[in-house]
Structures are given as C-alpha cells and as structure tokens.
Amino acid sequence: MGDTELEISPAQLEELQKSPSASSTSTTSSLSLPSSPSSGPRPSSSPSTSEGLPTSSPPLDVISEGVGEPILVIDTEVAKKACQEVLQKVKFLKADGEVSSASSEPVLVNGTSHPESTNGRKPPKISEEEAEPLKNVRCRQKNNSSKQSLLLRLFESKLFDISMAISYLYNSKEPGVQAYIGNRLFSFRNEDVDFYLPQLLNMYIHMDEDVGDAIKPYVVHRCRQSISFSLQCAWLLGAYSSDMHISTQRHSRGTKLRKLILSDELKPSSQRIRREMPQPPPSCPPPLHHCQGMSGHSLSPSKRTHQRSKSDATLSISLSSNLKRTASNPKVEACQDEPVRLTPQREFIKSLMGIGKRLATLPTKEQKTQRLISELSLLNHKLPARVWLSTAAFDHHVVRVPHTQAVVLNSKDKAPYLIYVEVLECENFETSSVPVRIPETRIRSTRSVENLPDCGITPDQRASSFSTVPNYDNDDEAWSVDDIGELQVEFPEIHTNSCDNISQFSVDSITSQESKEPIFIAAGDIRRRLSEQLAHTPTTFKRDPEDPSAVALKEPWEEKVRRIREGSPYGHLPYWRLLSVIVKCGDDLRQELLAYQVLKQLQIIWEQERVPLWIKPYKILVISSDSGMIEPVVNAVSIHQVKKQSQLSLLDYFRQEHGDFNTEEFLTAQRNFVQSCAGYCLICYLLQVKDRHNGNILLDSEGHIIHIDFGFILSSSPRNLGFETSAFKLTSEFVDVMGGLDGDMFNYYKMLMLQGLIAARKHMEKVIQIVEIMHQGSQLPCFHGSSTIRNLKERFHMNLTEEQLQVLVEQMVDGSMRSITTKLYDGFQYLTNGIM
Amino acid sequence: MAQPEKKAGLLKRTSSSKKPLKEKVLLMYEQIFTKEDPSKSNPRFWDELFLMKVNLEYLEGKLESLDGDEVMKVKDNINSLFQHCVQALAEEHQIRVVNALQTLCALFRGVHQKNRSATGFDIINMLMGFDKAELRMKELMESLDALLCGDGSQSLKSLCLKLLLCLVTVTDNISQNTILEYVMINSIFEAILQILSDVSSRAQHGYDAVVLLALLVNYRKYESVNPYIVKLSIVDDEPTLDGMGMVIHHALTEYNRQYRDKEEENQGGFFSTLTSMVGSMFIADADEKLSVQTNEAILLALYEAVHLNRNFITVLAQSHPEMDMAAAPAVPVPSSPATPLGTTPPSLDLMNNPELPLDPNLQTSNLLITFLKYSSIVMQDTKDEHRLNSARLCLIILTCIAEDQYADAFLHDDNMNFRVNLHRMPMRHRKKAVDKNIPSRPLVCAVLDLMVEFIITHMMKEFPMDLYVRCIQIIHKLICYQKKCRVRMHYTWRELWSALINLLKFLLSNETILLSKHNIFQLALQVVNLFNMFITYGDTFLPTPSSYDELYYEIIRMHQVFDNLYCMVLRVSTNAGPWKEPASKVTHALVNVRAIINHFNPKIESYAAVNHISQLSEDQVLEVVRSNYDTLTLKLQDALDQFERYSEQPREAGFFKELVRSISLNVRKNVSLSTMSQDVLLKEFSSIS
C-alpha cells in the first residue's frame, strides 16, 4: 500500500513544489528549501554527525563509510532533507518508510548500483529530489525579501545551535519555519539534540500538529537507529502524556507514537540491507571487525576457564555425551535477537521496578535490605544480557549486579534503592555480542587467597614487619632461660619424630624452622599495631540497620570499585566497569529531570563565561510518571549522615577529613566548598529549590556540597507552611566552614555569586526556554499557578545594573544568614523525620 | 487386570494370603521357572507377559527359593526374561513399560536376595548371561535414560528412578555391586542433571535423583575412576546446581520443621508447668521422641556437592524465602511415615514458584542457613550411631565450607546479615534463648556460635573426640581466613575463649579416663594454638584494641587452667611413654600463654597491694594489662596460620564406606514400588493406550 502511494509521489512532488511558492506564505517557501550544499555550517557539521553515529546504532556502519567522502555525504544530506520536507508537505503519515529509505541512501552515494534497498522505487525519486534543490534555489532567489533572508541567514549561520532551534520551533507560528527546523534537527549532533529530547517530545505531545509533524520524522529516524533512543522516547512520551485527561490521552499523538515505538516496528532499515547483501562493501568492514574483535576478546576468558575446568578433571572420560545435553541449556541468548530488540532492556527495567514495589510493602529496613539482596541475586541469573544503564556515558552490557552491595536508601514510605552494576564496556551495545556468563565461583581461577593484596604475608615478612626483638629479655618473668634452652634442645628431636599422621601443614607450631633463631615480638607492638590499623583506615561510618546506605555511600568509590572487582568473576576483563544507579519507584522524576536540565545548562553557561562555580548535575532517567532512575553522586554522603555519624560540627568534620586549617588539603576542600556553595545558592534562588534540610544536601569527599532532591522547585513548596522564605539555605555552620563572615573566602563566595548571576543573566533565554517548554500541558506542582515563568524571569533581574545586582546578592546573603526560617525548618525536619 | 484391589499385596512380603495359580501371570511365571522355553508353547508368551500386572512378591519369592542347581537350569529363561524386559522398555505401550520396569526390579532384588554370598559375576551371569551382559545393560541404561529425559509420563520417570535406586542398593556394600560397573560405563548422569534442572520434574523426582546421585558417586570411590565423581565435579550449569541445592534445602527444611513441630508438641501441655527438676527429666525423655530420624542420604548428597563441585558453593548462599513457615499451612505433611528416607519426595510446591512469594513475614533464607539450623539440631544429641554419623558429616561439610575461599567470602560479607535461629540444647543451668533477640549478623557468626555451642554441650564421658577435633579445625580455618584477608568480625570472641578454656579444664579433670581412649594432647594443642593465633596475630583480625585486652584478661582470669595444663603436659612429656612427644608439643605451644600469665600476675598483685584492694574489678585488671604490654615479649610461633586441607582419602574413607552402607540399607528398605499404584498408572495411561 505504501508502494502505491509513493508511486504517485514524484508527480505530486512537482505540484507541491509549486503550490507553496505560489501561496502567500512566501517565507515558507523560501525557508522550506533545504539549505544549499554550499551553506556554511553544513560541511563542518555533517561529517561530525556521521562520526558520532557508528557508536550509537547499527545501520550506520554503512553510513560511516561516508566519512572519507564528505562531499558525497553532504549531497545525500541535502537530498534526504528535500525528500523529507516534501513528504511532510504531502502529509504522508506513512512517512516512516521514507525516512528510513533516506537513511539508507548512502549506499547509493557509494556509487555501487544499489540493489533496490527499499522496494525499488528509490532511484527515480532520487533524481527527482536532487533536481529540486536547484529549482528551489532559483525560487528562493526570486522571493528574496530582506526579513526572510535575515532569518534564513541566522538559521544557516554557525551560531544557530540546537538551543536556538528549539526556541524557534517553540515560538514560531509558521509551519514552514517549524518544518525547516524539523529538518535542521538532522544536522545537529545526536548528543546535542538528546539534551532537549524532553522539550522536543513535550512539544510533540502538547503543541499543535505542525510542530508535531516537524518533529516526528527526526524522532522516528533516531528511533530506527537506536534502541536506547527508542526506549527513552517511549518512556518520556508515556511520562509527559500522563498529565492529559485519560480519554484524550488514549488517542493522543504521543500515545500513538509511543505504541509505535514499543511495537518495535521501527527497525533499522539497514538490517534489511544487510540481509540482502551478505558481503558488505569493502570500505565498511572496519567497524564490524572491531565489534568482532571486542566480542572475541570478551569471550576468550570464559572459554579459557571452561577448558580449565575440563582439564581439572584429568580423567579420560569422554565428555561427548555430557555435552550433548548441556548444549541444550544454552547459556547465551542468541546474539541477533531482532524480534526482541527492546524486550531485554524493558524486562530488566521492569524487574528493577518490581523489586522496588515489593520492597515498599516490607516494614523494616532490615527486611527490605535482605529482600533486596535476594531478589537481586535472582536477577543475576538472567545476566549478562543486552541491557544497559542509560545514565552511563559509554556503551556497555550489564553483566552482573553485585547483589550484596545493594542498599536501601532512606525514605519513609517508598523504597528507593541503590544498586551497583558491573558492566563490560563495548563498542556498541546493539551490535556487540553479549558477554558469556561466568559462574560466580569462577573468580577463584583469577584470585586466590595468596593473591589478595597485603593479605598473604608470609611468616618471614611478618616477622620483619614487626620490630623484631632479638632475645630482648630483660623480663625474667616472661620465661625462664631454662625454658628457652629446653626448646632449643627439643627442636631436632621433634622434627625427627614428627612423622605421625599430622602432615607438614599441621597445626604444629614448632616444625620446619628449627634452624632459625626463634623470633621474638613485643606484645605492645601487636596491641599498637591493632589500634593503629583501626585508626589508619579511612573513617568509616558505623553500620546502622536503620540507615544501611550511610556505610555504603561513605566508602570511597575507588575502593568500592577495587573491592567489587576483586570479588567479581568478570573483574579480570579489561573492559570491566562499575556503575551505580538509584532505582526510584513511586516517585515522579520529571521535576528532577527538569532541574537536571537547568543545572546542566547553567553549568555550561558558567563554564563558558569562566565563572568557577561548581555544581554537579546528576543524570535522571524518567521511565514513567512515577518511576525512574537516578545516577548517584559518588563519594558523597548527606550532611545529616555526616553529623549523625561523626557527632561533629561541619567545620570539625572538615578538619577531621581534610586536616587542620592552613593545610593544603583543608584549603582545597574549603575552596571547593565555597565554589559549590555559591553555585547551589544561585541554583536554589533561581529555581526556588525548597525542602532544603541536611538530608538533601550531600557533602563529597573533596568538600563540595551537592544539593539533591528537586521535588520542590519553582512554584511548589512542601506543605505550604510558608517555611524557607529565605533565598537559599546558608547556615552559620556553612559560614564557619568558609572561614567566618569576615574571611576572604566569604567575600569570594559573594563575588562568585555575583559573577554567576551576571553570567546566568546573559544567557537567561537558554534557561527559560527549558522550563517554559516543559510548562506546556504539564500538571507538575512546580508549574502551579500562572506566574511561574514570569517569576522565574524576574529572578534574573534583567533591569538591574551590576552594582544593583551586587547589592541584591548582599541582601540575599544577609537575609539567608539571618533567616530564622532556615533554622526553624531544620528543627521541623528533625522533629518530623529525625533529620539532623 | 480385573482386580485392581489386589494391588495392596504388591510388595508386602509378609502377607501370607497368597492365591497362587489363580492369576494368569503366576502361571506364566511358573512357566519361566521351568527348563522349557515358554515361547515354544506360546509364541506370544513374552508379549502377553508384560500386559499382565506384575506380582512382584511372587516373582521375588520364586527367585529367592531357587538353589544353585535350579538356577543353572532356569538361567536361560531368566536371561530371556531380562532381555524381554529390556526390550519392553522401548515399547510405546506404557503398561508394558511399567510392568517391565517392575519386573526388572523384582529380578534384581530376587537374585541378590538369594545370592548374598555370590560374586557379582555370578549374578550378572544369572541375570543376563556373561556374553550378553554388556549389550543388555547398555540397552537398559539407554532406555532408562530415554525415559527419564523424554516427555513421557511422570509416573514412569518416577518408576525408572526407583528401579535405579533399587539396583544401586541391592548390595549392602555398594562397591560390591558389580552390575553398577555397567551403570558407570553407560552413564545416566546427564539424565539426573536434567531432572534437577527442570522445575517441575525437580519437584517430583528431585529427591530420588539427588539420593541416586549421591549413591552412584560413592561406587568404588577410592578404588577406581568413577565417572560420576568426575562429572559432578565439573558441572557448572547454574540452574542445575541450584535445583540440586533446592532439593537439599527443601529436605533439610522439612526436617527442621518436623523437629520444631515435635518440640512444640512436647513443650505444650503440662510439661511446661512442671518444676525444673522434674522438667529436666522429662526433657531427657522428650529428647528421645524429638529425634526425628536424620536424613543421611541428603546430607551425603550435600557433602558430595560441596566437596566435589566448587561451583556448588555459590548455591549455598543463594537466597530463598524461608520455606518452612510458608510450607506448613499450605502443604500437608507427607503421609508416609518414612519421610526422611522414603522415596516419597518431600512436597516441593514452593520450588515451582520462581517468583519469591510476597509475604512480609518471610525471612529470606538460604541453604547454608538451613544447613546450620539442621546441624544445630543434629548435634544436640550424638548418642545414637546415626546421629553421631550425621553430626560428623555436618562437621565435615562445614570443614569443606570453611576451607573454601568463596564460601569464606560470603560468610564474612558484611552486607549479608541474617538472623539464624540455632537450636540449643535445653540445659538446666541456662534458659532457652529468646529467638527474636538474635541480631542480624554475617553468617560466620552463626557458624562460630554453632561451634561454641557444640564445645560447651559435649563435654561428657563418651567424649566425641573426633568431632571436637573437627570443630576446633573449623574455627581455626575461619580465623586463618580472617587473618589473611584482614576481616575484623564484630563477634563476641569472649564466648569462644571461655568455651575453649572450659574444654581444656574438662580434658584436665578427666585426663585418665580420656587418655585411655584418645590422644587428648592433639586436641589440647589445637586449642592452645587457637589462643596463640589470637595472641600473636590478633592485630590482623580482632575488631577493637579492647578485644585484645579482653583476651589477656580472660587468660589471666583462667590462669589456673593453663597452669594445670602446663603441669600435666610437663609431667607426661618428662615420662617416657606413648604421649611423651605430643605432650611436649603442648608445652612448647604454651610458651606465650605462660609468658602472659607470668608477666601480668605479679603486676596485678602488686597493683592490688599498692592500692589495698583485695579483689580487682575487671576494669582495674584491664588497666594493669594495658599499661604493661610494653615489657612483655612474645615468641612468634611458626605455621600457626597453616592448616592441613581436608582430604577424604585415606582418613575419612572408612567413615564414608560405613555411612554409604547404612544409607543403602535404609534406601533399600524404603524404596517401594507399591507407592505407585497400578490404579494411578492405569488411569494415567488409559487415555494414551
């Protein structure tokens, strides 16, 4: 059916091409023209696109060959756009097939006579389309009005970035502009667009059809390329559609697109090509080879161990009959699981969420922890699989969840939990083969007691590590000289007689070393060593069944990685990595995602403007409107945990962890503290982050503070008790760490705030648009009321001079310092939640 | 087939009401036991035979009653019967298969019953004929393998397993069962594994399969290459190993539950109201009743798995929800009284459920926890032979576990905390610990608790010396791991120290009695060396500096025991005699303990004198200890942290031989083909045939 429709298209194309240009919206026509090959940003951007591609999805093995021939790629880009554009005009809802065929075009570019990649209708159309740009160029030249050309020049200039594209997409009411930008999306780097994915999808769901039509081809195209993108889209679409009324939701565009994605019909078109052409063109093998190399590598160790275990059984039993049946229990899933592209990951997420739900029903932390561990150990049986954590920055396969390391986090009625996940980095998680399972106990082939670091101390080493006391014997009471004489006389005798049942390894304590001088050690040394070793270990928190996460989070990340790696059967593999993730079930993370985007944007802005503010946006994965995952901040514990465990003031804790004043470590930590504090104060002010108690503020091992939990931002505040009226949280304890009100560091803190505010103000639009677009159709509490955006804008104080801003900052700091509400709020939290 | 009621008499040898010559099948049996080839008179004889319901009792009786000459006369017919049985197994008609299986069973049993003294080769000759034996057995094993692995009826699979169990246990000593040589050549190991790996078949046949495997592994274990040992040692398929673990876990859980039910029964009613004196008498009495028969076969299976297969160790830590609580209301106790060793599998309903049931009251458990609980019950009473053997086997298994690097890792894993309710022997001078108050701790604490419990409860005239030696070895191995890996357990070491000192005290006070039977110096040396571990390596594994002080305090407090021990060993070592050498080892091992006592005692006395205190408080003693470390010199003893690895051969070989013999007898007694009623089978097959 698609074929017949498309058959007509060439004819229609011509017509359509004329009609818009004839219509009154001349802007549209000129803008709808795909930028000519010679346009500025294109040559630079398209190669980078193709460079970015091979890592993300399979079809691009084919495209990536174009890297060597940038000019050709540009041509196809143009052709592709033209094609899509026209198709949108025609409002082919079946456009999906078209897009995919566009993505497969590079084969054509290659010059190889292409064997009808998509239904044989391609070649004639291409010629058609390639002819079009020329015509369009002519048209555009005719209708060149100054305003349009200005806009066009902007769109084609190097400065036109994704942020601007989103902004025009959102603000422009012109379908032509929207369609043009929809096409321009293809030319941005995937990662850049990904950042605005929530905005794009929210526009798709909640804005008018033109915007939706402009966005859809891009989304569909990306979905075809990437499983990860598909799932992310599906989840976000689900989450952002949830605020609609249930009746409209079912038929909404977002729901339909979500269904389409989840039905897994959006397969990469190149799979078809591959099947048709078993021999890929000579220029494309490198990426494939690489994949094989990777997989070959990850396979080899387990193969080796298997052989090892066989050779352990040195006996000449034929194993053929044994193997016949073990082969029927295949441990590795079939590698190319086309029909279930999305299933493994969805199942993985589903089981994680299921665990969260079940944990929530258990009454005590201890039971939750035990259940969590046992549930995860069952989950382990299904790993490795083609699953991954979207919060990671690299492609990988999850191979194991070290279940005993998982902890339940503090929460009153929900059961968020933190898991560590062992992964093997790979070239491309969609195409690289899934690692082979290695049984738990296989670890012993790589590590034995003897290999444990600083554990296998031989008696000799041990003796030398003690301060040896050679016959130091001023104390007659220790033992009499006779005793020693007796011992020495007895040695040989014992040796000759010790051929009884007890073997050479017996508990016999006085064998074999008779030739050596007896070694003496001081009891005091043992005692001292014991206390020193305990004091020397980095301060750990005490295990508290009511707060199981404190210990786990306090352990330095590096150490945890080393420890888990040692205990893992996969630990010896070179691409082994450890990740961690917080699984939240029953919580809406959409606001968190919004906060992440704003923080990230501000971080970029400050970096760009060279303001040394430090903030740590942590990644958020929204799975539905009430579940998701969070990337944990490593090496950080909450200030509440710090105070409860150490029973020290914050300043004293700093001194305990980093050394006394004026040591370099302390000063570094203090500077980190100030820079992060200033950053987060600004964030708290701009976003109106509320619920700032010490359980929601982390302190990392370098002295940075990190605010977490953006559940109350913008227009929402907890329980509307009117607490926390100050601009941000600045307790006297914080000021103490900064060196007091008169210290240089405190002035530095205020100066940073001012600089940060000025920088943020300069790029206000970028921040506002993130929030504003998400406002569309949203019922989130942070958008409560009508003035959310206006108030946000006002907090940037565009009308103030820098001097006035400085006064403002002073006022805010003063206000927060004196704010009794902060203190009150802490007290309130202590009373209600036991948070110090 | 017209009399389904007659099934009642199927196997009961004692029933005297035979009605011979009435059934056609008996007539046919008669024919077999003549010289004539029955198929001569009736060409369809064999076809018909397997359509008849088997009369096991008659057939076995007949075989038993034959004497040497007669045997030789009917040998051809018996061979022929065997051959046709094997052929019938491959038939589609399931009734024939059932009858053939049962007939084979009767053949194996009958022939062995009669010929206890006969060599294996004679028996083989009689059953199959020498020349054909290899072929017949190959066919038989292949058929059984096919039946076990096929998609056929569950009852058939069950019968196959029972036939195999029957075959494996026909001799008292499994290694003398020459027919098993063919079972070695034609392995059914894979079939057993398949049963264990599949959830539903595991639930129905897992128990038999595990017992069968445990027995097969023990066939000529020490004399020849047993392929089952080799294969079991390299299994690495996790679902299979898990399945095996589940079967064992469930059997042990079942035992624990039965024990607790009995215990509760006994505690209820008026017993509890009796005075403590009378009560204790009754408890002794109740103990007898409480002794639910131990399950040595399943324990042996656990041992073989732990000992032979290093991948099985992970299964020990695999969490399951506590099944005994959940199973109690849902599943009725299997009606057969011979549950532990009978072949009715314990109800395995919960195993079918891959999702953990969602019950907030469920404590998660694992095989190791269940095993520890089981051990705590078994070790309570080691008076009778079976329980002593079970306790010994438990300790051997624990030894293997304590030696395993991976097992140690999870035993000591700080993140894996469990409450383990060990059963404690009711004793006059202590109250039963309240179950609920047990803190959640790493599993090694439960193991140590169990060892401490054993030490303090078995100091009796019938001194279980070898159990004590094993027990101390287990503690030693655990401490060696802690020392090597610098694991600091927050364990109340004091309880262990005082238990060990009390043990020394017991050895001293019963020196003469014990010395006539045991080498008490070996045990004493082990105990003293444990103290040496703490004294010289305490810095590597003790949790706090003050625990090191407490160690000294405990030694000083109980210095008389060490003094007496020193006197005793010195005395023995200076006299010529068999104990001279072992005793002198103890003298040397005591060097550091004596140094401590000799160093601190005068200091404490002078402290008391200076401060005019007659009785120093613990804190004061600790204070003296703390301030006088620096002038004390200790001697570093070699090889304290070395131990001899467990090896079954040669030391344990005798034990296992006897154990397997007792298990064989028990299994043989309890394998009953009659549990499979003809009725059920007929019903099941009526639709098929």
Side-chain angles (χ1 to χ4, degrees), chain A residues 325 366-367 370 404 437 441 444 449 455 462 475 487 507 510 513 519 521 527-529 533, chain B residues 145 190 194 238 310-311 360 404-405 415 419 484 488 529 537 539 549 588 599 630 634 636:
Chain A
R325 234 180 247 110
E366 190 183 316
Q367 277 175 311
Q370 278 189 0
T404 62
R437 178 167 178 79
T441 41
R444 278 175 297 178
V449 182
C455 289
R462 181 170 179 80
D475 197 346
L487 289 178
V507 281
I510 327 172
Q513 293 212 339
I519 301 158
I521 47 181
R527 173 65 157 71
R528 212 167 295 125
R529 196 168 283 269
Q533 276 177 359
Chain B
D145 186 277
E190 293 73 28
Q194 188 172 319
E238 283 172 42
R310 52 186 200 174
N311 299 316
D404 186 279
Q405 170 77 8
N415 289 312
R419 293 176 204 279
K484 270 183 186 144
R488 299 179 191 277
N529 275 338
Y537 295 114
D539 56 335
D549 305 337
H588 302 310
H599 178 74
D630 280 333
L634 300 170
L636 187 64

Side-chain angles (χ1 to χ4, degrees), chain A residues 344-382:
Chain A
Q345 178 74 355
R346 289 180 75 194
E347 287 297 314
F348 180 62
I349 300 290
K350 212 168 100 187
S351 40
L352 287 181
M353 292 305 154
I355 292 172
K357 273 190 201 120
R358 288 194 285 276
L359 289 187
T361 61
L362 297 174
T364 67
K365 282 250 166 58
E366 190 183 316
Q367 277 175 311
K368 283 180 185 172
T369 308
Q370 278 189 0
R371 166 55 69 99
L372 175 64
I373 288 174
S374 62
E375 292 256 20
L376 288 175
S377 76
L378 288 185
L379 183 68
N380 252 341
H381 281 252
K382 295 168 194 152

Side-chain angles (χ1 to χ4, degrees), chain A residues 581-813:
Chain A
V581 73
I582 292 170
V583 180
K584 282 243 188 186
C585 185
D587 286 310
D588 187 352
L589 295 186
R590 286 177 291 169
Q591 284 188 182
E592 290 280 346
L593 180 58
L594 180 63
Y596 163 76
Q597 288 189 294
V598 172
L599 259 71
K600 191 78 198 172
Q601 189 61 265
L602 283 169
Q603 191 185 37
I604 293 167
I605 291 168
W606 287 331
E607 197 179 327
Q608 212 176 326
E609 300 292 328
R610 296 176 197 283
V611 184
L613 287 173
W614 190 97
I615 53 172
K616 169 91 188 165
Y618 49 88
K619 287 189 189 149
I620 303 291
L621 178 68
V622 170
I623 290 171
S624 71
S625 57
D626 70 342
S627 62
M629 301 210 274
I630 299 178
E631 174 195 29
V633 182
V634 297
N635 290 330
V637 284
S638 75
I639 291 184
H640 161 67
Q641 282 167 333
V642 165
K643 296 180 71 162
K644 189 176 170 195
Q645 292 272 355
S646 68
Q647 298 290 337
L648 296 171
S649 73
L650 208 52
L651 179 61
D652 288 340
Y653 181 77
F654 260 73
R655 289 166 62 191
Q656 176 197 307
E657 293 287 297
H658 304 287
D660 220 332
F661 307 114
N662 300 327
T663 61
E664 201 172 321
E665 285 84 3
F666 179 85
L667 290 174
T668 310
Q670 192 187 37
R671 195 179 59 242
N672 288 340
F673 182 82
V674 168
Q675 287 171 350
S676 58
C677 211
Y680 276 105
C681 283
L682 273 182
I683 299 277
C684 286
Y685 169 64
L686 291 174
L687 276 184
Q688 289 293 298
V689 184
K690 292 285 144 69
D691 196 24
R692 292 301 89 194
H693 55 75
N694 286 337
N696 278 341
I697 303 174
L698 307 186
L699 185 67
D700 80 1
S701 59
E702 293 170 329
H704 298 114
I705 61 161
I706 299 129
H707 281 245
I708 57 165
D709 189 350
F710 297 94
F712 297 101
I713 51 173
L714 298 171
S715 298
S716 68
S717 101
R719 276 166 256 188
N720 292 319
L721 281 172
F723 277 148
E724 300 185 279
T725 49
S726 60
F728 41 76
K729 175 163 176 165
L730 185 66
T731 63
S732 58
E733 260 193 314
F734 283 19
V735 178
D736 287 346
V737 176
M738 293 187 205
L741 284 171
D742 309 321
D744 290 343
M745 286 315 266
F746 192 69
N747 287 328
Y748 179 51
Y749 160 75
K750 288 191 283 194
M751 191 199 69
L752 282 177
M753 294 248 297
L754 178 62
Q755 287 180 351
L757 195 54
I758 291 169
R761 193 168 73 157
K762 195 168 151 192
H763 299 273
M764 180 187 82
E765 283 306 325
K766 283 188 179 176
V767 178
I768 298 285
Q769 75 171 9
I770 290 175
V771 182
E772 197 175 6
I773 296 175
M774 298 320 284
H775 195 345
Q776 287 290 323
S778 173
Q779 304 282 319
L780 289 174
C782 64
F783 296 123
H784 186 74
S786 56
S787 51
T788 306
I789 304 296
R790 198 180 66 233
N791 291 342
L792 175 61
K793 275 184 189 156
E794 276 169 11
R795 283 192 294 274
F796 283 93
H797 299 284
M798 296 305 280
N799 51 341
L800 295 188
T801 63
E802 293 199 0
E803 287 71 30
Q804 285 171 313
L805 269 188
Q806 190 173 2
V807 175
L808 178 77
V809 168
E810 290 280 355
Q811 279 171 352
M812 286 196 297
V813 171

Side-chain angles (χ1 to χ4, degrees), chain A residues 7-120:
Chain A
E7 212 97 3
I8 319 163
S9 60
Q12 280 185 334
L13 287 175
E14 291 273 33
E15 273 181 30
L16 285 163
Q17 206 47 55
K18 284 168 204 153
S19 58
S21 60
S23 77
S24 60
T25 57
S26 54
T27 331
T28 321
S29 72
S30 69
L31 285 171
S32 71
L33 304 174
S35 37
S36 65
S38 59
S39 66
R42 197 58 51 76
S44 59
S45 67
S46 40
S48 70
T49 317
S50 49
E51 266 165 16
L53 291 174
T55 52
S56 60
S57 66
L60 302 168
D61 289 347
V62 190
I63 285 183
S64 66
E65 80 205 66
V67 176
E69 305 148 285
I71 304 150
L72 291 177
V73 172
I74 293 162
D75 274 354
T76 47
E77 291 282 327
V78 175
K80 182 166 77 183
K81 286 207 188 78
C83 164
Q84 282 153 4
E85 179 137 5
V86 171
L87 287 171
Q88 284 151 30
K89 295 276 155 154
V90 183
K91 294 211 173 144
F92 262 141
L93 289 177
K94 276 267 173 182
D96 326 352
E98 260 340 85
V99 181
S100 72
S101 62
S103 76
S104 66
E105 266 167 52
V107 183
L108 262 168
V109 173
N110 227 8
T112 53
S113 66
H114 180 246
E116 273 78 58
S117 73
T118 41
N119 309 348

Side-chain angles (χ1 to χ4, degrees), chain B residues 445-685:
Chain B
C445 296
V447 178
L448 288 171
D449 277 350
L450 182 65
M451 294 301 104
V452 170
E453 177 69 13
F454 178 85
I455 293 172
I456 55 181
T457 51
H458 289 78
M459 296 186 221
M460 47 199 183
K461 285 263 165 59
E462 285 296 317
F463 191 70
M465 185 61 154
D466 77 306
L467 299 195
Y468 267 103
V469 170
R470 288 177 209 279
C471 176
I472 304 294
Q473 278 173 350
I474 291 167
I475 298 171
H476 182 236
K477 283 168 185 174
L478 291 173
I479 291 178
C480 285
Y481 173 83
Q482 295 173 6
K483 182 211 152 230
K484 270 183 186 144
C485 297
R486 313 242 158 169
V487 183
R488 299 179 191 277
M489 294 313 302
H490 285 266
Y491 182 73
T492 43
W493 291 111
R494 214 172 193 171
E495 282 171 23
L496 173 67
W497 296 329
S498 91
L500 290 174
I501 292 172
N502 279 328
L503 174 60
L504 288 178
K505 204 169 164 186
F506 177 83
L507 292 180
L508 281 172
S509 50
N510 296 281
E511 179 200 340
T512 39
I513 309 162
L514 292 174
L515 213 47
S516 62
K517 291 183 205 152
H518 309 287
N519 176 1
I520 59 168
F521 300 104
Q522 187 204 350
L523 183 60
L525 181 66
Q526 282 184 317
V527 173
V528 173
N529 275 338
L530 270 188
F531 278 104
N532 282 329
M533 277 291 276
F534 281 103
I535 293 168
T536 44
Y537 295 114
D539 56 335
T540 55
F541 62 89
L542 283 175
T544 57
S546 63
S547 52
Y548 193 67
D549 305 337
E550 277 172 29
L551 169 70
Y552 278 56
Y553 175 81
E554 205 62 24
I555 292 173
I556 294 161
R557 190 172 71 89
M558 302 299 283
H559 69 91
Q560 267 190 326
V561 175
F562 291 105
D563 290 343
N564 293 345
L565 178 66
Y566 184 72
C567 291
M568 193 267 272
V569 289
L570 201 62
R571 168 168 51 81
V572 176
S573 64
T574 44
N575 295 334
W579 306 120
K580 180 181 167 61
E581 191 220 323
S584 73
K585 280 185 192 165
V586 183
T587 14
H588 302 310
L590 275 168
V591 163
N592 284 334
V593 174
R594 293 195 60 239
I596 290 167
I597 293 167
N598 292 337
H599 178 74
F600 286 107
N601 264 345
K603 303 260 184 333
I604 288 164
E605 275 160 28
S606 68
Y607 181 89
V610 169
N611 295 293
H612 306 290
I613 312 166
S614 59
Q615 196 77 34
L616 267 68
S617 73
E618 181 175 339
D619 286 340
Q620 285 163 328
V621 175
L622 285 174
E623 184 49 47
V624 177
V625 168
R626 262 184 228 115
S627 47
N628 287 287
Y629 274 125
D630 280 333
T631 40
L632 172 65
T633 308
L634 300 170
K635 183 173 170 300
L636 187 64
Q637 282 150 318
D638 295 325
L640 279 179
D641 54 346
Q642 317 257 314
F643 54 80
E644 183 187 13
R645 289 194 72 82
Y646 170 80
S647 72
E648 187 176 315
Q649 218 188 349
R651 237 187 287 168
E652 316 290 350
F655 167 68
F656 279 101
K657 265 187 180 153
E658 279 312 303
L659 184 74
V660 173
R661 177 188 290 266
S662 121
I663 292 171
S664 284
L665 286 171
N666 223 328
V667 171
R668 188 200 309 159
K669 206 167 63 196
N670 290 296
V671 166
S672 64
L673 293 144
S674 60
T675 50
M676 186 66 52
S677 84
Q678 198 89 359
D679 261 2
V680 176
L681 287 173
L682 278 177
K683 237 177 240 166
E684 194 174 316
F685 300 144

